[in-house]
Amino acid sequence: MSDPTAARPGALLRTLERRAPWIAAVTALVAALATMTSDPIGVFNDDGIYLLTAKALANGMGYVYPQLPGLPPAIHYPPAWPLLLAAVWKVAPAFPENISWFKLINPVVIAAAAAAAVLFGQRLLKLPWWVALGGVVAATLTVPVLLLTNLLLSEPLFLALLLPTLLVTERLVREGGVRLAIGAAVLVALLVLVRTLGGVVLVAGVMLLARERRWREMVLFGALTVALLMPWQLFVWRSSVGFPDELRGSYGPYLEWVADGYRAGGFPFLRAVVAKNLAATWAMLGVFFSPFITGATRHLLAALALLVFVGGLVGLAPRGRAPVTALALAGYLAIVVIWPFWVDRFLWVMWPLLMLVALAGAHLALTRLRASGRPRFATGVVAVAALLGLGHEAYNVRGLASGWEHKASADMTAAGVMLVRHVNADRRLDGKLIAAELAPMLALYSGAQVLPVEILTPAEHVVDKDRAAHVDELVRIDRRFRPEVYVVLAAGPFYAALQAAPLDSGRTLLDVTPPGVPVRTLFVQTP
């Protein structure tokens, strides 16, 4: 007679395999909720702008910046994420009481992304279920991913949509078919309307369909995607005409802003951007995989991590594996390297996918080495993967235990709260056009029209602004918009720059704040 308990381990493993996506989703959701903070929205600037545009949509104002004079059209960020926030605002319109509802969105979204990532690893990358599950959980329960999830940013939604988009586009390239072409086009268009960099999937899909000579699918996929995106692009192109130059960096079109930076800086600027972004990426890899040991060991582990990832990318490129993913990721990383902005944030959003690609590289190398009868080399691959995994988990255990995912916004939160309380307590500012630091957050919590006190430029990614640059920008903002009052931190760079700024038309500034107060209010006096 057979022992009924003998089948239990096998049955348990099969159950775990079937439920692996759910396990990843629940784990990610619990971790995201457990690390949620009460920080206000707006400390990272982008999150405040997202919610302000969502407020405008929910209130029937259209897709505009409600905090800026003249209500200029919101052409900096694609509209999908603000539309989702606007839907929540409609359901719970009382601000700031509805913030808790907004903060629940990204934990749910990252849970969906974790489930999709496990399926992606199993079905497309052919990873064993336990490898896909372990890799996704390890990559999701990280300081940077949970930091982004805790903020009201579009990155988690981008990842959650990217994974099924890649799956469908891979099937399109491999199998062809009108239905797959339409489905892939709809997904890619939606992805681009969350974050513009999703366009790399369109380019990769069109190139690979051309390689496979699937001309009908290529034309349908490309044309339908462009057609779906055309209304948004026409809105941006038409609205960018006459858009204030002083606001283009933070509120205007991406590509035009970057192109202007490269026209002004030329090849030296490109070289500086690439050098800074590569250095930042290398430093990030070293810290992630060697958190306790510095020097040569940290550089070695960074090199091994990069080697494993590149191996995975190359291994996925051939026909029959995941060429769309490989090409799209290569394009994404190439753009990130030359983009004059904080490179870490572009990489953090992709971390679960990057981790899966690295695991696919290690798994492929291990399989081939074992098949070719080289067990020692196969053991070496396992040792390298284990060493990198140990370093990765050591960094995140240490970081999460220390609350690093919270500390990134702590200083900015304190400054923002001071500014908001200062403005809301001063009734003299009611109805005034204000220029201030942390302008989106201040506008969100005060209801005032608030301009920024600086102009975001591509050049500042590689060269810090000096006092003269701050003075020049303040003069330009003042000349263009004529704010009635400035609100800045006494300890920041803008207070000193305002005191030195030669405003035109006889305009002068009167500091009406008592000595010692950290937030300064300067009213504009006119002749």
Side-chain angles (χ1 to χ4, degrees), residues 340-360:
F341 196 69
W342 182 28
V343 67
D344 302 43
R345 184 170 155 187
F346 287 107
L347 299 177
W348 290 352
V349 62
M350 304 289 280
W351 199 247
L353 178 56
L354 299 178
M355 178 73 79
L356 285 175
V357 171
L359 287 172

Side-chain angles (χ1 to χ4, degrees), residues 33-58:
L33 292 175
T35 54
M36 186 183 296
T37 73
S38 59
D39 291 344
I41 295 169
V43 295
F44 273 78
N45 197 67
D46 292 5
D47 53 341
I49 297 175
Y50 278 130
L51 195 53
L52 284 164
T53 54
K55 176 184 177 181
L57 286 168

Side-chain angles (χ1 to χ4, degrees), residues 376-395:
R376 291 184 179 178
F377 288 99
T379 302
V381 171
V382 173
V384 168
L387 184 62
L388 292 173
L390 180 62
H392 184 271
E393 291 314 292
Y395 165 80

Side-chain angles (χ1 to χ4, degrees), residues 129-145:
W129 71 269
W130 56 272
V131 174
L133 175 59
V136 169
V137 169
T140 305
L141 272 61
T142 58
V143 170
V145 172

Side-chain angles (χ1 to χ4, degrees), residues 286-335:
V287 172
F288 276 11
F289 294 102
S290 181
F292 298 109
I293 305 174
T294 59
T297 300
R298 176 169 288 184
H299 289 296
L300 174 62
L301 289 175
L304 288 174
L306 186 60
L307 179 64
V308 172
F309 171 75
V310 171
L313 207 60
V314 172
L316 295 176
R319 286 185 174 93
R321 291 193 59 82
V324 176
T325 301
L327 186 57
L329 262 182
Y332 180 94
L333 296 174
I335 294 171

Side-chain angles (χ1 to χ4, degrees), residues 111-414:
V118 172
L119 292 173
F120 185 89
Q122 290 177 274
R123 295 179 181 179
L124 186 61
L125 305 186
K126 308 303 181 186
L127 291 170
W129 71 269
W130 56 272
V131 174
L133 175 59
V136 169
V137 169
T140 305
L141 272 61
T142 58
V143 170
V145 172
L146 291 175
L147 185 154
L148 291 176
T149 304
N150 190 38
L151 302 171
L152 209 63
L153 297 173
S154 64
E155 277 86 342
L157 181 60
F158 178 77
L159 178 64
L161 285 172
L162 174 63
L163 295 163
T165 301
L166 289 172
L167 276 169
V168 173
T169 310
E170 295 282 9
R171 280 194 61 193
L172 170 63
V173 170
R174 186 172 58 252
E175 302 171 14
V178 170
R179 288 185 179 181
L180 283 174
I182 294 173
V186 171
L187 285 170
V188 171
L190 183 58
L191 184 68
V192 174
L193 291 175
V194 174
R195 290 180 68 83
T196 307
L197 270 176
V200 295
V201 183
L202 171 62
V203 176
V206 167
M207 291 176 64
L208 291 168
L209 285 168
R211 185 188 70 175
E212 299 299 322
R213 299 182 183 277
R214 299 190 185 277
W215 307 117
R216 180 184 61 174
E217 288 90 342
M218 183 194 76
V219 171
L220 179 58
F221 170 65
L224 182 56
T225 304
V226 171
L228 291 171
L229 292 173
M230 189 56 65
W232 164 245
Q233 290 302 321
L234 288 174
F235 174 73
V236 172
W237 292 334
R238 290 173 179 172
S239 302
S240 64
V241 177
F243 196 88
D245 290 338
E246 294 80 5
L247 299 178
R248 286 187 181 274
S250 297
Y251 300 95
Y254 284 111
L255 295 179
E256 183 180 322
W257 177 75
V258 173
D260 287 344
Y262 275 111
R263 276 195 293 267
F267 180 75
F269 179 61
L270 172 63
R271 183 174 56 196
V273 170
V274 171
K276 180 167 183 175
N277 288 347
L278 289 179
T281 302
W282 187 260
M284 184 190 75
L285 291 175
V287 172
F288 276 11
F289 294 102
S290 181
F292 298 109
I293 305 174
T294 59
T297 300
R298 176 169 288 184
H299 289 296
L300 174 62
L301 289 175
L304 288 174
L306 186 60
L307 179 64
V308 172
F309 171 75
V310 171
L313 207 60
V314 172
L316 295 176
R319 286 185 174 93
R321 291 193 59 82
V324 176
T325 301
L327 186 57
L329 262 182
Y332 180 94
L333 296 174
I335 294 171
V336 166
V337 167
I338 64 172
W339 200 264
F341 196 69
W342 182 28
V343 67
D344 302 43
R345 184 170 155 187
F346 287 107
L347 299 177
W348 290 352
V349 62
M350 304 289 280
W351 199 247
L353 178 56
L354 299 178
M355 178 73 79
L356 285 175
V357 171
L359 287 172
H363 183 256
L364 180 62
L366 184 63
T367 302
R368 289 179 176 175
L369 289 170
R370 284 176 174 171
S372 63
R374 290 183 280 182
R376 291 184 179 178
F377 288 99
T379 302
V381 171
V382 173
V384 168
L387 184 62
L388 292 173
L390 180 62
H392 184 271
E393 291 314 292
Y395 165 80
N396 286 295
V397 168
R398 180 186 182 188
L400 293 174
S402 302
W404 289 351
E405 76 282 5
H406 302 159
K407 292 178 180 177
S409 61
D411 291 340
M412 288 183 287
T413 294

